[in-house]
Amino acid sequence: MKAANRIESDYIVRSYETDFRQEIRPSSVLGLFQEIAGDHSQAMGLGFQKLGEQGRFWVLSKIYVEVDRKPASGEKVSVRTWPHRPNKAIYERSFTVCDESGQRLIGAESRWCILEKSGRIVPCSRIEQPEIDFLEENCFEDIDWQIPRVVRASAPDFALTVANSEYDLNHHVNNIKYADYIFNCFTVAELEAQRLASFQLHYVKQAFEGDRLEFFRSETEPGLFSIEGVRNGVETVVLAQVRFA
């Protein structure tokens, strides 16, 4: 039986998912994407439980998100996702968030891979692929995945020590948490003065309980910031880029 090539779900934005403007936080957007991608993977026969039985699990490696408008608390939105044809070891997936009139508010492109418990990437050829009619349409045609180098200041713009509340079911920092970390590099006044246009995250290493994470930002051009997250003063765990309109 063929799996649906895309799925769609309606959500009400909850107040606890929003920021000081009562608009959805970037991390909450990633949370919606994570949920619907998990639901679709399950329907495709590549869900968490099945992969877990094989000693494997999904990881998000990169995501680019473009924001036309952030929905507000209490607003009803429709979230849609569809996967693209796998390429060697990469699974690409598109997302959109639309309002009740069908107007697109947010779009995203993402890249995922499947890992062994050892951390080794599993080639697509070693995975039983679902029977599905892949859509050729991508949310965005061309994405610049390059993030300019971060010039580190003497002191981080944000830092924390990882505790259990940051963890996901794979026993490392949940990928959606990094969206909060990178936006914590900005003050309330800075975020009030500018409109978010896009952000992207590249996940480089995993972080664990007790790790010290420090985040450094640098403005590479007006309104465009590169951010680097460093573990224990040595290893880069995440790279990010934030663009304000």
Side-chain angles (χ1 to χ4, degrees):
M1 181 177 179
K2 283 188 177 181
N5 54 16
R6 65 183 175 189
I7 64 170
E8 184 173 342
S9 295
D10 292 336
Y11 294 92
I12 302 293
V13 179
R14 308 299 181 184
S15 60
Y16 58 79
E17 298 172 318
T18 62
D19 58 16
F20 52 83
R21 284 173 162 171
Q22 286 289 280
E23 296 174 341
I24 195 167
R25 294 193 310 272
S27 60
S28 298
V29 173
L30 297 189
L32 293 180
F33 292 163
Q34 182 173 276
E35 285 298 307
I36 196 169
D39 291 344
H40 199 200
S41 295
Q42 180 74 21
M44 292 166 59
L46 289 174
F48 171 78
Q49 182 175 351
K50 183 172 181 178
L51 290 181
E53 292 169 354
Q54 303 168 3
R56 297 166 174 168
F57 58 96
W58 284 106
V59 293
L60 177 63
S61 62
K62 294 181 180 181
I63 188 163
Y64 170 81
V65 183
E66 203 164 283
V67 182
D68 293 319
R69 178 176 72 81
K70 293 193 290 183
S73 176
E75 188 170 350
K76 183 178 180 180
V77 296
S78 178
V79 182
R80 176 181 294 178
T81 186
W82 62 101
H84 306 295
R85 195 175 303 280
N87 179 19
K88 294 183 180 179
I90 297 173
Y91 296 80
E92 294 190 338
R93 178 174 285 274
S94 290
F95 300 90
T96 58
V97 178
C98 298
D99 65 15
E100 290 191 270
S101 71
Q103 180 74 28
R104 191 174 87 181
L105 307 179
I106 298 171
E109 289 281 351
S110 61
R111 291 180 174 179
W112 305 70
C113 57
I114 295 174
L115 297 188
E116 304 277 6
K117 291 297 184 182
S118 64
R120 182 175 299 174
I121 296 175
V122 183
C124 299
S125 59
R126 290 179 52 199
I127 301 290
E128 183 181 354
Q129 299 297 323
E131 185 180 358
I132 184 172
D133 294 325
F134 289 103
L135 297 174
E136 298 299 325
E137 171 197 5
N138 286 61
C139 191
F140 303 110
E141 289 302 321
D142 295 305
I143 297 174
D144 183 3
W145 290 106
Q146 299 299 313
I147 294 179
R149 183 175 176 272
V150 175
V151 179
R152 295 187 196 176
S154 56
D157 294 279
F158 175 70
L160 80 157
T161 299
V162 176
N164 69 82
S165 61
E166 314 303 313
Y167 261 31
D168 64 12
L169 45 77
N170 293 317
H171 281 70
H172 55 70
V173 174
N174 193 315
N175 66 72
I176 69 175
K177 293 283 189 176
Y178 288 100
D180 284 331
Y181 303 160
I182 67 171
F183 283 98
N184 281 346
C185 292
F186 301 91
T187 66
V188 171
E190 286 176 313
L191 295 175
E192 284 182 326
Q194 304 172 97
R195 184 185 72 80
L196 177 63
S198 67
F199 66 96
Q200 64 176 296
L201 288 145
H202 297 186
Y203 300 95
V204 181
K205 297 275 188 179
Q206 297 170 358
F208 304 93
E209 185 178 20
D211 283 343
R212 172 74 172 174
L213 298 183
E214 296 180 328
F215 293 82
F216 302 85
R217 81 177 207 193
S218 60
E219 190 169 14
T220 56
E221 60 182 71
L224 184 65
F225 295 84
S226 292
I227 300 166
E228 180 181 10
V230 180
R231 181 177 70 179
N232 301 326
V234 180
E235 288 187 305
T236 298
V237 295
V238 68
L239 293 169
Q241 190 173 65
V242 175
R243 182 186 296 275
F244 294 102

